Amino acid sequence: LEMLQARGVSLAVASNKYQAATEALVRKYFPTIKFAAVFGQRDGVPVKPDATIVRDIQRAAGCPDNADALYIGDSLVDLNTAGNAGVEFVAVTWGFCPREQLVENNPAYIADSAEQLKALLFDGE
């Protein structure tokens, strides 16, 4: 995340955890990252896999074009959220879902490590 931030990539968090819990976790684990948006479960807003959270993040980040957005996640809910929002998805295999479950659902990209993710994002750098 620090490398992405240093390269000027706008970062955000989309979670189904309650908003206050999401903010607390982000403050604790990512204190040096300046996220464009940190959105969790909010009153009156549908939860993932509804695309609303992605649209809200895009507005907050000033990124209205889906071609400029990339959703990186570790679950089928994330994969479906990206699909519902019409944005590219990268499945990372070091999180919630086992790799096999992600592969069965045909994500556009799969990264098994942070290095693979970096290579996907920056054409093999």
Side-chain angles (χ1 to χ4, degrees):
L1 292 176
E2 289 174 348
M3 181 269 300
L4 293 172
Q5 181 173 268
R7 288 179 179 232
V9 175
S10 185
L11 303 168
V13 174
S15 177
N16 275 349
K17 293 172 184 62
Y18 288 103
Q19 182 68 29
T22 301
E23 291 171 357
L25 288 167
V26 166
R27 276 192 307 274
K28 178 175 179 157
Y29 292 105
F30 307 108
T32 62
I33 305 300
K34 293 181 173 91
F35 291 99
V38 175
F39 290 139
Q41 191 179 86
R42 299 165 286 153
D43 289 339
V45 179
V47 297
K48 300 184 301 180
D50 186 273
T52 300
I53 196 166
V54 175
R55 301 285 177 250
D56 290 348
I57 286 170
Q58 287 178 287
R59 272 191 294 281
C63 178
D65 189 348
N66 283 359
D68 293 331
L70 180 67
Y71 193 120
I72 301 169
D74 65 353
S75 73
L76 298 181
V77 171
D78 290 328
L79 185 144
N80 290 326
T81 304
N84 290 340
V87 299
E88 287 282 345
F89 180 74
V90 177
V92 296
T93 61
W94 60 86
F96 185 76
C97 277
R99 186 183 202 286
E100 298 76 27
Q101 192 175 24
L102 292 165
V103 169
E104 288 171 4
N105 287 275
N106 302 311
Y109 305 98
I110 296 176
D112 292 311
S113 68
E115 285 303 312
Q116 282 185 346
L117 181 58
K118 179 183 173 189
L120 280 170
L121 296 174
F122 300 106
D123 296 321
E125 282 183 33

